[in-house]
Amino acid sequence: MSALSAFSRALLVALLTALSSGFIGSAPALAESVVAPPAATDAAAEEKDVPPPASPPPVEAPVEVRELWTGSLYTSSFRVGMCASAQGAVRGVLHLRLANGQVDVYHFTGTVKDNAIEASHSSGHTFRGRLSAPDKVEGTINLKNGMKIKLEGKRIQDVPLAPEDCAPLPE
């Protein structure tokens, strides 16, 4: 594996993890279910010739929080689409644009808890980070060869992402 390839993979994992970290402090709480008042009985409704009250539609809780993280590292730039569930599961896709214009794509999974995020790529690279400000994340990518890369990313909340894998949409 070339140094650039290992670096690209490590950067991807770190970025994905960093993005996940941003979700920690901002994930909206699941909406509580709405309990409808007891409906009038049919007999009471017939007596008054008034239809029973309609129960309100159920409130749907958000399935995942969606964010986009962007930044640069050395001569590459990254865009990370991150989805986080209310239970703390994180998944996403990192697009790493190299200096030559080539875009490497990395899928990752992980967890987020108490403003800390951990994510990994199937190659063995990992990311550990945290939300350092409402619009910023920082962390470290640990390559499977032992190399560590520190990075920072900008966080943009409530963005549309590809529904099937949380990938960033084309610019």
Side-chain angles (χ1 to χ4, degrees), residues 9 46 64 134 143 153:
R9 288 184 184 154
E46 289 176 4
E64 292 177 308
L143 301 178

Side-chain angles (χ1 to χ4, degrees), residues 39-52:
T41 63
D42 290 337
E46 289 176 4
E47 288 176 16
K48 296 180 183 177
D49 202 20
V50 177

Side-chain angles (χ1 to χ4, degrees), residues 90-167:
V90 172
R91 66 188 181 103
V93 177
L94 167 69
H95 289 177
L96 181 63
R97 182 174 300 276
L98 306 176
N100 65 5
Q102 174 184 339
V103 177
D104 290 340
V105 178
Y106 301 89
H107 292 77
F108 62 93
T109 59
T111 59
V112 60
K113 182 178 180 185
D114 298 330
N115 289 334
I117 184 167
E118 293 185 15
S120 62
H121 181 260
S122 62
S123 66
H125 304 305
T126 62
F127 174 84
R128 288 185 183 200
R130 68 182 183 89
L131 177 63
S132 57
D135 64 345
K136 186 177 171 184
V137 66
E138 60 186 28
T140 302
I141 298 171
N142 294 302
L143 301 178
K144 67 180 180 181
N145 69 4
M147 184 175 160
K148 295 182 179 187
I149 304 168
K150 291 188 178 199
L151 62 90
E152 291 184 357
K154 179 181 177 183
R155 173 185 176 208
I156 305 166
Q157 301 176 42
D158 301 321
V159 297
L161 300 171
E164 64 279 355
D165 62 1
C166 297

